[in-house]
Amino acid sequence: MPIAITAARISDWKEISWSRISISAIMFDVPSSIYSTIGKNVIYFKQKTFLLPLCALFLYMPDLASASPRQENDGWEIYANVRFQYQICYPSRLLKPQGESDNSDGQRFLASDGGELAVFGWNNISGFAHGKDELEASLSEAVEQAISALKGSEGKVTYKVIKKKWAVFSGDDGQKKEFYAKIIQRDDQFISFEITYPSSRHVEYQKVVESIAKCFLNDKGK
């Protein structure tokens, strides 16, 4: 029996989990600038509200019935931070949320294998002079501070890219753990995520890191 869908309206900070509809089938004619795919069955939309023209979609139940549980629901969810207005996706089957911090700047997510995702924001103002805010640190300085904390005294950086408003870097701590981090500069604020995981799980975490990096966005979808 075919399924027909004509349109759907998506609200702010929402995701759609199409547990029985394939991503490749529904995303025709939708500009990639307004959505990101997370795994196989979740679409994350960058714009706050829009009308999704799906026209008519016909899928057959026998094909859907043969889908595995992993294909039907891959467990990705969205954490949205109100104070610093950013959001990030995370694999809820792997990384368990620990609750938002007391000052509401972000949250930590822990895995049973020792992996950890930390996402947070902070104000970058040291004072006010000459009619404008004085910034406490440049993006490069923020990156170096984060690298120092993540790699420790024995680790090393294996990859680093610094652009005008964002930076990414990765490496290891010299003690069987690897890390990847991204920092976004936004006026007088920074938002960042850091993920650490056992080096022995590099292959498994590589795909997780790639997905998280793509869906880490501020309120303007940047």
Side-chain angles (χ1 to χ4, degrees):
M1 183 175 110
I3 301 173
I5 298 179
T6 56
R9 181 169 294 277
I10 315 303
S11 301
D12 190 16
W13 305 115
K14 295 294 184 180
E15 64 180 15
I16 289 184
S17 179
W18 300 88
S19 60
R20 306 199 69 179
I21 301 174
S22 72
I23 292 295
S24 59
I26 68 170
M27 291 313 296
F28 63 91
D29 287 338
V30 179
S32 60
S33 61
I34 61 175
Y35 75 92
S36 298
T37 57
I38 304 169
K40 295 180 179 178
N41 298 97
V42 177
I43 310 169
Y44 162 68
F45 294 93
K46 299 177 183 178
Q47 291 185 354
K48 293 186 176 180
T49 305
F50 71 97
L51 190 64
L52 175 63
L54 297 181
C55 300
L57 170 67
F58 295 94
L59 297 176
Y60 290 91
M61 297 305 290
D63 293 335
L64 297 174
S66 64
S68 67
R70 176 66 180 174
Q71 290 175 323
E72 290 185 355
N73 182 5
D74 56 10
W76 283 84
E77 297 184 17
I78 296 289
Y79 163 65
N81 182 273
V82 175
R83 179 184 174 189
F84 287 97
Q85 297 194 353
Y86 63 79
Q87 55 187 356
I88 194 168
C89 63
Y90 65 96
S92 60
R93 293 179 178 177
L94 174 66
L95 294 162
K96 305 301 181 183
Q98 303 300 298
E100 197 164 69
S101 60
D102 292 340
N103 68 356
S104 301
D105 66 343
Q107 188 167 182
R108 294 168 63 236
F109 304 79
L110 302 181
S112 60
D113 62 6
E116 178 178 345
L117 169 65
V119 57
F120 48 91
W122 69 98
N123 292 313
N124 185 39
I125 300 175
S126 61
F128 186 83
H130 306 295
K132 63 179 182 180
D133 292 328
E134 290 187 330
L135 299 183
E136 181 174 341
S138 66
L139 177 59
S140 295
E141 290 171 334
V143 168
E144 292 307 314
Q145 291 171 9
I147 287 176
S148 178
L150 288 167
K151 76 178 185 65
S153 59
E154 301 179 15
K156 63 182 180 296
V157 175
T158 56
Y159 177 78
K160 179 170 69 173
V161 174
I162 300 178
K163 297 294 186 178
K164 185 177 181 180
K165 293 293 184 180
W166 60 269
V168 294
F169 48 94
S170 61
D172 64 73
D173 67 354
Q175 298 181 8
K176 299 183 179 181
K177 275 203 171 184
E178 297 180 8
F179 63 82
Y180 180 97
K182 182 173 185 177
I183 300 177
I184 298 175
Q185 185 175 18
R186 185 178 55 190
D187 299 325
D188 57 0
Q189 293 179 340
F190 287 117
I191 57 174
S192 175
F193 83 82
E194 301 171 354
I195 183 167
T196 59
Y197 52 89
S199 299
S200 60
R201 297 266 290 162
H202 173 85
V203 174
E204 293 87 346
Y205 271 90
Q206 194 64 33
K207 294 180 180 179
V208 172
V209 168
E210 290 174 359
S211 294
I212 291 175
K214 289 178 181 178
C215 70
F216 179 52
L217 303 168
N218 65 33
D219 62 339
K220 296 181 181 179
K222 297 179 180 178

